[in-house]
Each structure stands twice: as C-alpha cells, then as structure tokens.
Amino acid sequence: MFFLRLGFTLTFTWQYLYISIVAFMVGGLIVASERWHGAYTGDYDLNKPQATHKRSTPRIGGLAVFAGTLAGLLVLGRPDNTTLNWLWPALFVASMPVFVAGILEDITKDIGSGKRLLAAFASAAIAWWFFGGVSRVGFSFIDLILSFWPISLLFTMIAVGGCTHALNIVDGMNGLAGMVAMLMASSIALVAYQVNDLAIFAIALAMASSIVGFFVWNFPFGRVFLGDGGAYFIGFMLAELAVLLVIRNPSVSPFYALAVLFYPVFETLFSIWRRRFKRGVPVDQPDALHLHQLIFRRLVRVTFSRTGRDAVPALCNALTSPYLWVLTLIGLVPATIFWDNAILLCISMLVFSSVYIWLYSRLVAWRCPRWLLLPSVSRKR
C-alpha cells in the first residue's frame, strides 16, 4: 500500500511539474528570441503613466501560461474522465475571444480597453452556452430572477467579463499578477478538492502550475511580462472556474466566487470610483494611482532614493509585489477556509476592503506607516 501511494504521489507530482516545465520553456524561448520579435512584442513605451520598468520587455508571457495549461489538458486527460476531457477543451474554446484580443493588443498596441472588455463578455457568453451561468447568489428573490435565462446570461457576462478585465488592472509590477493568480488558482483547487470536484481541481492546479513556469522569468527581474493576453486568459479561466465550482457544487457559497477574486475586483471598482467621482476623468484613462503604484513610489522607491526613478535599483519593482501578496492573503485565506459560510465570506471581504482603504488613504496623504518601510539600503552604504 505504501509503494502504491508513493507511486501515485510521484506520478501526480510529475504531471504538474511537466506543466510548469512547458510554461518555463516557452517563456525561455520568448526571452531568447526577443531580438527578432521585440520590436513588435516589447513594452517599449517607458513614459506612460503606469510604466515602472526601464527597458523594453516582451509582453507576450501569456503564451507561456497558455501553452502550459494546454499541456495540462494533454497530460491529465484520461479516457475514463469524460467530465475533464469535455470541460477543459470547452473552456479553451470559450477563452479564445478574450485571449486573442489580449495578444493582439500586446503586439499591435491598438486594441482599446473597450474592445477587450467586449471580448471578455463574448468569452463569458460562450462559456454560459457551454456550461450554464450564475443562477444563485444566496437570496431567494434574486435567485428567482436569475432563473430566467436572459437575465442569467446578462449577469454572467457582466460578472465573468468584469472579473476577467479586473486581473489586468493589477498587472503592474514584476510578480504581482502572477503570484496573485497563482494564489487564487490554488484556493479554487483546494476548495474543489474538498467538495470532490476533481475536474475543477485538476484544471485549477494546472493553471497554478503553468503560472509557476512563467513566474520564474517574470520575478524578480521582469525578463518577460504577462501582457494583456496572459492577464485576460488567466482572469477568464479563474472567473469561470469559480463560477463553475458554485454551479456544480451547491455546498459552495456563491459568495466564494466573489471572495476568491476580490482583490482585482475591488481594485477595479475602487479605481472607477476614484477616477469618476474624485478626479472627474474618464474611467478608462490610465493613471499612476493604483495601490501597487503608490506602494512602489511611497514605500519602496523612497527607501532607496529621492532623486527619481533613474537612480532606483531594478529590484525596486519586484520589492513592491510582496506587499500585495500579503494583502491578497488577508481576504483569500478566510475565503479558502470558510467557502461554505456566506456570512464569514462577507466579513473577510469587508476586512480586506477596510485594510485596502486604510492603506491607500495613508499612502495618498504621504502618511506612510513606518513599520511598512523597507530598511534603508542607501543609509547603510
């Protein structure tokens, strides 16, 4: 029995290691061949408001995540698992509109955010056609309304499409979106395992494994960026997996689907409110006032230099991300533990929102908590 379990564990580990290796190799090919495609795929606009890098960098890292996840379909698909063999290809088909729109933006820099959001809605609509959509949110009156398919379709398109778009908002620092997505995929896999939904478990864990392969190239030195293609692909897959987990398992609270994706969703809603009502600018106008950008400028960069970005060590970008990883876990850990308790899930989102707003208000007013500042390297020299 011991050797049987050991063999199963080794096989299980190798399968997901294979997925990471495929993503790692594709990422390496992107980096090694930059001289041939960098003129098209590079993020060479270093003067845009949200830019924090110093050199043009390929932004098609989403191809590595896509390739790794596709490899997962090939290595994990088994003739006896018809659910997985049908579910996974259908998810890939549904993801195509938003993934292609993102990759085209990475290459042409000419696919606006509105068009990408429409592509996200299209992917969500295709997924609704394949799997069904959101039909319960925990309130009987709203659940009754969602029983009508046009309402369910519209609600699912907005929910899944919005969450898909939201992950792209937090993709601004080396390792930020990658690690956040990895944590979210791991949470979905853990909950799916607890409710014995092995198809969702396998896909979510394969997503996390493929992100690991990309992550090696992205953090800490940012040799390749996730890009819009990667952010939208991962965002759609995570949003749809969260919805499917609720649809297929009545014991999972509908609030879990929101709680597991709450950081990018809250970041997006907060940014819309901030731009529209505080600054009076179009909601799709990029700026440098996201929380990760404030942390970069007012907690990390200021530790090393006060003379400007050119004097800042390259690792400053990467040192920003761990702050947001910890913030993500504040909401994600309770969500993973209390996935069947709507009240505790709401409390976890409230706690996250409170910490986020407190930190943002302190940073924007230049009242940075001293205990969050990094040890000053410049003073030691």
Side-chain angles (χ1 to χ4, degrees), residues 344-356:
L344 293 179
L345 288 169
C346 290
I347 291 175
S348 72
M349 289 185 282
L350 180 62
V351 170
F352 174 90
S353 304
S354 301
V355 174
Y356 181 104

Side-chain angles (χ1 to χ4, degrees), residues 163-186:
C163 290
T164 300
H165 188 72
L167 187 65
N168 192 50
I169 300 294
V170 303
D171 182 22
M173 297 290 168
N174 296 346
L176 176 53
M179 178 58 75
V180 168
M182 203 186 312
L183 293 172
M184 292 175 177
S186 300

Side-chain angles (χ1 to χ4, degrees), residues 23-28 31 213-219 221-224:
F24 174 80
M25 292 178 62
V26 174
V31 172
F214 156 80
F215 189 82
V216 174
W217 297 106
N218 180 247
F219 185 86
F221 297 108
R223 299 295 304 278
V224 62

Side-chain angles (χ1 to χ4, degrees), residues 215-290:
F215 189 82
V216 174
W217 297 106
N218 180 247
F219 185 86
F221 297 108
R223 299 295 304 278
V224 62
F225 292 160
L226 191 60
D228 289 275
Y232 279 105
F233 173 71
I234 294 173
F236 170 77
M237 293 292 283
L238 292 179
E240 191 58 37
L241 286 173
V243 169
L244 284 173
L245 189 61
V246 173
I247 292 174
R248 291 157 54 92
N249 303 279
S251 60
V252 179
S253 170
F255 286 95
Y256 171 76
L258 175 61
V260 72
L261 301 166
F262 194 62
Y263 166 43
V265 170
F266 186 82
E267 175 76 40
T268 302
L269 295 176
F270 185 81
S271 298
I272 292 173
W273 172 82
R274 171 173 55 79
R275 291 170 180 169
R276 178 67 181 85
F277 297 104
K278 295 293 289 184
R279 301 183 61 219
V281 299
V283 297
D284 61 346
Q285 177 178 313
D287 58 29
L289 293 174
H290 291 292

Side-chain angles (χ1 to χ4, degrees), residues 7-17 76 201 205:
F8 173 79
T9 301
L10 291 175
T11 301
F12 179 84
T13 303
W14 164 247
Q15 289 175 334
Y16 289 98
L17 181 61
L76 295 174
F201 168 78
L205 200 56

